[in-house]
Amino acid sequence: EARAVTSVEDIARRQLGMRVTDKWRLAPDVTGLQLLPAAGERRLKRLAGQYVDVLLEDGRRRPFSIANQPQANGLIELHVRHVAGGGFTNWVNDELRIGDCLRVEGPLGTFVPREDSERPMLFVAGGTGFAPIKAIVEHFIALGSRRPIQVYWGARSAEELYLRSLAERWDRELPHLEFHAVVSEPARAAGLRSGLVHEAVLADWPDLSGHDLYMSGPPAMIAVSHQSFLDAGLPEDRLYYDSFEYAPDVLAEIIASRAGIHDRPL
């Protein structure tokens, strides 16, 4: 169960139109999008780490974490992984153009910075779970926080660490921040540390009792990490996490596509 955050509860959720102002390839299967409020729309009031639902014409929704800290002009950045059999991500990958508009609802979620602590922070990301981690880290950097920060980002291959250069720049320029890349498939590590990201955290920090820990990624990563971190002494009320899951209709479509049942886009 998500623990409520008073400042999140105070922000009204609403719908607005947003225009695509940039689209670029982050990785072979990840598209970056920048969106600005459409003409006449007020910017979305939000906190770093929250997400929006993209509203589809048939009433379905697709949630995406916002990958940048709040901006005065209302710009939001999304990292959209192209999922084989997922019609919306196919459309984003192949057809969405700069200048097109999307309808979104937000802000959503309680995966946000906790500023009422001076404890060291650990950030653990899996795949595109780096998006909200990036936003929260940017928030603390902008605050000028000097709390020690360790950022761990796990992926299957070195190529999937699509903003590795940004994280490495944080590491170089900020004396209180260290970045750790972890690749789960040794043959694709390209000289980087190999293994599972949560095991790398525990190898470096066997006692987590003095930390705050933020993690974001696929459900399997969250499930295997959660109890391991608690067993290492992390109090449960200092563990904040965001789990990425497929909507049921998307999961059904992916399964059907992989089975060759049909190729109808969502």
Side-chain angles (χ1 to χ4, degrees):
E1 295 181 5
R3 292 179 289 280
V5 179
T6 302
S7 56
V8 170
E9 295 172 346
D10 292 341
I11 300 175
R13 184 171 70 182
R14 63 187 181 88
Q15 296 184 8
L16 73 156
M18 301 202 75
R19 181 170 52 88
V20 180
T21 59
D22 199 5
K23 175 183 175 180
W24 69 102
R25 185 71 60 202
L26 283 164
D29 63 346
V30 180
T31 299
L33 297 178
Q34 284 189 348
L35 311 177
L36 280 172
E41 296 277 20
R42 294 178 293 111
R43 70 179 179 90
L44 190 67
K45 184 179 179 182
R46 63 182 178 86
L47 299 176
Q50 292 190 286
Y51 69 94
V52 293
D53 276 349
V54 176
L55 308 178
L56 307 187
E57 292 183 356
D58 58 7
R60 288 179 292 179
R61 298 166 174 259
R62 295 293 178 264
F64 293 97
S65 290
I66 302 172
N68 62 313
Q69 65 163 329
Q71 305 289 315
N73 64 356
L75 182 143
I76 69 172
E77 176 183 324
L78 305 180
H79 300 168
V80 181
R81 182 177 295 281
H82 181 210
V83 179
F88 178 73
T89 63
N90 286 342
W91 178 75
V92 168
N93 185 69
D94 300 333
E95 301 181 36
L96 182 67
R97 297 289 181 263
I98 293 174
D100 289 349
C101 285
L102 298 173
R103 190 95 185 146
V104 306
E105 182 174 325
L108 300 163
T110 60
F111 187 65
V112 298
R114 270 64 172 187
E115 298 174 13
D116 57 345
S117 167
E118 292 300 321
R119 287 180 291 271
M121 293 180 287
L122 285 162
F123 291 90
V124 185
T128 51
F130 183 71
I133 294 291
K134 172 181 175 290
I136 296 175
V137 170
E138 287 179 342
H139 170 80
F140 282 112
I141 292 172
L143 278 183
S145 172
R146 294 301 175 193
R147 294 169 62 186
I149 294 174
Q150 302 284 330
V151 179
Y152 288 78
W153 188 6
R156 290 171 299 178
S157 70
E159 294 77 14
E160 292 185 11
L161 301 170
Y162 53 83
L163 282 177
R164 177 179 155 196
S165 61
L166 170 66
E168 289 174 339
R169 190 173 80 233
W170 292 342
D171 188 295
R172 289 193 308 270
E173 297 179 355
L174 300 168
H176 62 291
L177 187 151
E178 294 183 8
F179 170 62
H180 310 265
V182 185
V183 174
S184 62
E185 298 182 10
R188 303 171 71 188
L192 298 176
R193 184 174 185 174
S194 63
L196 299 178
V197 67
H198 78 285
E199 292 178 350
V201 172
L202 292 170
D204 294 347
W205 306 95
D207 180 2
L208 295 176
S209 60
H211 289 79
D212 293 342
L213 193 148
Y214 297 76
M215 65 175 170
S216 176
M221 187 200 89
I222 300 297
V224 73
S225 303
H226 181 276
Q227 190 59 50
S228 296
F229 291 152
L230 298 185
D231 290 344
L234 181 70
E236 189 158 15
D237 62 356
R238 295 189 210 152
L239 174 60
Y240 315 113
Y241 57 90
D242 193 11
S243 179
F244 290 7
E245 301 196 45
Y246 293 123
D249 59 294
V250 173
L251 187 58
E253 191 73 19
I254 292 169
I255 293 170
S257 175
R258 290 176 179 173
I261 296 173
H262 58 75
D263 58 1
R264 175 181 59 81
L266 288 171

